[in-house]
Amino acid sequence: MSFPTGASWFLVFPDTDAVATLAALVRPGAAREIRHASGRPWLLGRWPESAMTTATRGRTRLCVLGQHAVTEREAARAAGAGSPEAAERLARTWSGSHHLLASFDGETLARGPVTGVRSLFVARARGADNACVVADRADVLADLVGAELDEGRLAVQLLSPGILHPLTAQTVWRGVDVVPGDHRLTLGRDGRARTSRHWSPPPAELSLAEGARMVRDRLADAVAVRVAGGKPVSADLGGVDSTAVVCTAARSGVEIVAYTAAIHDVLGDDVTYARRTAEALDSLEHHVVPATAVPLTFDGVHELDDDLDTPSLYAVNRHRRMYIIERAAERGSSLHLSGMGGDELFSGASAHVHGLVRRHPRTGRRHARGFVSRHRWSRRTAWRQLLDGRSYGAWLEQVARDLTLPQPPMSVPLFEWGTPPRLPPWATGRAVEAVRDLIRTQAREAEPLGSGHGVHRELATMRSLARFARHVEQMSEPLGVTFASPYYDDLLVEAALAVRPEERVTPWRYKPLIEEAMRGVVPDESRRRTTKAHAAFEEETGLRRHRSSLLALWEDARLRDLGLIDVEALRAWCRRPLAADLESALLHATVGCEVWLRTRENSAGRRGRPRTDIGGIPA
């Protein structure tokens, strides 16, 4: 068996001899091992020693693994709490982003963050009497149990936008399933797995002022646990959300180097605001990266080789995203802070109006008119969506029927359960039918993630985009850099969702919650900013400049071999001038799938080779 190089990973084994053979296969590639009280293997893998806190109480073993500052005393208290449920209650108060793993005298508990930024996957082990194994990387688990690629699930990853609960969060292997972030997984003494819900969105009852105080405190805690070592760190400094993270870190006294990537659009004002912020913070070292230095979209897509465990939309912007992190690594940074996740929390979903017009008709109608006016939406379409009382399952049925229609224009209102995703024009009939069947199967039993359109839409978006933060972390690990996105922390998510939506999401203010939360932390001029830079030029120019790389990707395309794409139709699309917002964006998911398939194929030879210690992860 081979393993991703330069990456951390772990496998969780139940306390049964039925999986002893599998554990023996893993052990030669694992740098660390922790055993059950019985002496059987429990955790095997590679992870930085500093990322794990362990505790033992009697026959209980408890581990916290990830970005946290949990002490051995705190972990021991949880281990001695008497039950998995009691341990979980204590763990919910811990800041950061981490997995909770516990062995309670033969019963195993595993749980990750709500957003799935640190995922868990489970699969049944062949020939092990229905015993299951758990992992934090889908590819490692699939290789261990010999799972086969599921072409239908892979075809789901071609959807644009790729946000369709629960389908787009699933793995691309048969028999390897993702554990939803709001569920815990338990392995019994016989190794059989069961999941149960442990988290629900909090009641949205706080005022904006109350929520702002909570967000400020929890962001400070989230940053503090990551910079606790006192080493110099790096960060993105661009929009409102990353500015809040940088200012919070800087005011904690840590040495921080911030980077702002300029863009070609003269209306892009990230650099202007970043410089003003840096001038107001004496302790901040700030670097502006010229637009001409940052790679464009589609740069080098035909030769990417990151070991990611699932396909990623970030393939098209891999070199753009990693350029600053690579510069930070050269400067010696071991931690890079980002503002990813802030848009979902603080821009929120206008779909909250769907419930607001029912609970508070006057306020709901006022908000509806405000959003329609601000975005120049069709009034008729907006009211049709607001009056639509279909269940989530019925909405999914409509999505299945409309899979091959043209993408909705940007002017379509956003009051539905979600933006209906489409398959691209080059998807084959086989791909279309496979995705349609999977959606219809899910529609029979799928439930929304929250009680209304707004909460569901926000959580579904967080779950989808948190995957890409996880991918960036996987890309950063070989550089010795830990990538941190504190807005995906459970405690911050809960703080934001606890604010009344009519105050948190409004057509008259830009991100009011983070604006209020950062009063006294972010300089006022930056705190009150109402603009956001967009890289449409980088997308459209990147397509023209790197068209040859993009076309090279479709030579001997693996997706064609699987019967999922019409290569000639795709190549014709790539030769056209394409608008960034809709036409070019349709390419992203397909590029991500093709790059991932090629990397999986090519990485087999690289995996398992000896390497030096990288980022605290033993070779």
Side-chain angles (χ1 to χ4, degrees):
M1 186 177 174
S2 59
F3 303 94
T5 54
S8 64
W9 54 270
F10 67 79
L11 287 155
V12 183
F13 293 90
D15 195 2
T16 171
D17 291 328
V19 293
T21 301
L22 287 181
L25 285 175
V26 173
R27 191 170 283 112
R32 306 190 194 279
E33 179 175 356
I34 301 177
R35 294 177 174 270
H36 290 282
S38 65
R40 297 186 182 96
W42 173 36
L43 304 179
L44 283 165
R46 301 176 188 168
W47 57 82
E49 186 174 4
S50 60
M52 178 176 279
T53 298
T54 62
T56 300
R57 281 289 185 90
R59 296 185 63 79
T60 296
R61 308 286 187 271
L62 186 140
C63 296
V64 187
L65 179 57
Q67 297 172 18
H68 64 91
V70 178
T71 65
E72 291 184 5
R73 176 177 293 182
E74 290 171 319
R77 183 183 173 203
S83 69
E85 294 77 17
E88 273 193 294
R89 283 194 295 271
L90 289 172
R92 288 194 191 104
T93 66
W94 297 336
S95 297
S97 173
H98 43 77
H99 286 103
L100 175 67
L101 309 167
S103 171
F104 288 88
D105 193 20
E107 187 171 272
T108 299
L109 167 74
R111 199 199 71 188
V114 168
T115 61
V117 69
R118 296 180 180 280
S119 293
L120 285 171
F121 305 94
V122 61
R124 185 176 299 172
R126 295 179 184 176
D129 195 23
N130 291 318
C132 294
V133 181
V134 180
D136 69 328
R137 284 188 61 121
D139 55 347
V140 171
L141 185 57
D143 288 346
L144 177 64
V145 302
E148 297 178 347
L149 189 70
D150 188 317
E151 290 88 350
R153 286 187 176 188
L154 183 60
V156 166
Q157 301 301 317
L158 300 176
L159 287 170
S160 181
I163 304 172
L164 189 66
H165 166 75
L167 288 97
T168 47
Q170 294 171 344
T171 80
V172 295
W173 285 282
R174 295 185 182 93
V176 178
D177 296 314
V178 67
V179 180
D182 54 6
H183 282 60
R184 67 174 68 83
L185 182 136
T186 304
L187 297 176
R189 290 178 175 81
D190 58 359
R192 300 197 181 199
R194 65 180 186 276
T195 60
S196 56
R197 188 165 186 144
H198 74 85
W199 185 90
S200 297
E205 299 172 344
L206 298 183
S207 69
L208 184 66
E210 293 170 322
R213 288 192 293 271
M214 186 180 293
V215 166
R216 179 172 60 249
D217 292 344
R218 291 190 173 177
L219 178 58
D221 291 342
V223 170
V225 301
R226 290 168 167 94
V227 304
K231 297 180 180 178
V233 302
S234 56
D236 299 321
L237 179 56
V240 169
D241 307 318
S242 60
T243 300
V245 172
V246 167
C247 291
T248 299
R251 295 186 188 280
S252 73
V254 68
E255 183 182 342
I256 184 167
V257 181
Y259 295 86
T260 304
I263 61 174
H264 292 85
D265 187 350
V266 295
L267 297 179
D269 52 6
D270 276 359
V271 171
T272 299
Y273 280 99
R275 282 178 169 150
R276 292 171 181 170
T277 300
E279 289 170 0
L281 298 172
D282 296 334
S283 61
L284 182 65
E285 180 182 333
H286 181 225
H287 298 274
V288 174
V289 182
T292 53
V294 183
L296 299 172
T297 303
F298 300 110
D299 179 53
V301 292
H302 67 299
E303 54 187 8
L304 300 181
D305 62 355
D306 296 293
D307 262 328
L308 307 182
D309 67 335
T310 57
S312 179
L313 286 177
Y314 262 44
V316 299
N317 277 312
R318 190 272 178 200
H319 291 323
R320 282 186 61 75
R321 173 68 264 187
M322 294 302 296
Y323 184 83
I324 284 178
I325 297 177
E326 289 165 355
R327 304 290 79 74
E330 291 170 359
R331 282 289 306 272
S333 172
S334 59
L335 174 76
H336 190 82
L337 296 167
S338 85
M340 289 184 71
D343 282 339
E344 299 96 284
L345 283 183
F346 305 126
S347 290
S350 56
H352 281 291
V353 176
H354 188 276
L356 193 59
V357 295
R358 289 158 174 78
R359 298 191 308 273
H360 307 290
R362 180 178 297 180
T363 302
R365 288 194 295 268
R366 182 170 174 266
H367 275 69
R369 287 192 295 268
F371 280 115
V372 167
S373 176
R374 175 181 174 181
H375 299 295
R376 299 181 180 179
W377 289 340
S378 161
R379 287 187 176 86
R380 178 177 297 180
T381 305
W383 286 110
R384 184 170 66 246
Q385 290 184 359
L386 290 171
L387 294 173
D388 185 353
R390 285 181 299 173
S391 68
Y392 183 62
W395 181 80
L396 282 177
E397 288 282 1
Q398 184 70 47
V399 169
R401 289 192 293 271
D402 295 345
L403 273 180
T404 58
L405 294 180
Q407 278 196 306
M410 300 293 287
S411 59
V412 168
L414 304 177
F415 297 139
E416 292 188 289
W417 285 110
T419 299
R422 303 284 193 252
L423 282 171
W426 49 86
T428 62
R430 177 182 178 183
V432 172
E433 288 309 308
V435 175
R436 188 166 278 149
D437 288 346
L438 286 170
I439 294 175
R440 284 174 172 162
T441 298
Q442 291 290 338
R444 301 184 192 119
E445 57 187 27
E447 296 292 335
L449 294 169
S451 59
H453 289 51
V455 174
H456 167 79
R457 195 159 182 151
E458 287 168 351
L459 288 172
T461 304
M462 285 181 213
R463 286 190 177 189
S464 294
L465 301 190
R467 287 183 300 155
F468 307 135
R470 188 164 63 86
H471 292 151
V472 176
E473 185 168 1
Q474 290 174 359
M475 295 174 191
S476 303
E477 281 181 332
L479 300 173
V481 176
T482 297
F483 181 79
S485 44
Y487 289 125
Y488 288 125
D489 289 6
D490 287 2
L491 294 181
L492 260 171
V493 171
E494 290 175 357
L497 295 184
V499 178
R500 292 191 285 265
E502 61 268 30
E503 296 187 50
R504 177 169 61 89
V505 185
T506 166
W508 301 285
R509 291 184 67 182
Y510 180 70
K511 299 186 177 181
L513 180 55
I514 192 66
E515 179 188 336
E516 293 299 323
M518 290 297 101
R519 191 180 296 274
V521 178
V522 173
D524 282 347
E525 190 172 8
S526 298
R527 182 175 64 87
R528 296 191 183 108
R529 180 183 175 186
T530 60
T531 58
K532 181 178 178 66
H534 297 280
F537 177 96
E538 280 69 17
E539 172 100 12
E540 294 173 3
T541 304
L543 177 61
R544 292 194 298 271
R545 190 170 298 175
H546 300 299
R547 199 184 304 273
S548 59
S549 293
L550 188 58
L551 291 171
L553 191 63
W554 312 128
E555 295 175 6
D556 193 24
R558 277 57 170 179
L559 286 169
R560 177 183 59 188
D561 296 342
L562 294 172
L564 300 181
I565 64 168
D566 179 340
V567 168
E568 292 310 311
L570 177 53
R571 289 174 68 88
W573 188 273
C574 293
R575 292 191 182 100
R576 296 170 43 190
L578 301 173
D581 53 0
L582 289 177
E583 296 175 316
S584 179
L586 270 178
L587 291 166
H588 293 192
T590 305
V591 170
C593 290
E594 181 65 27
V595 165
W596 181 80
L597 286 170
R598 288 170 177 262
T599 302
R600 280 279 299 171
E601 184 179 293
N602 297 333
S603 67
R606 297 195 310 268
R607 289 187 171 195
R609 289 191 233 160
R611 296 183 59 131
T612 56
D613 186 73
I614 296 176
I617 304 170

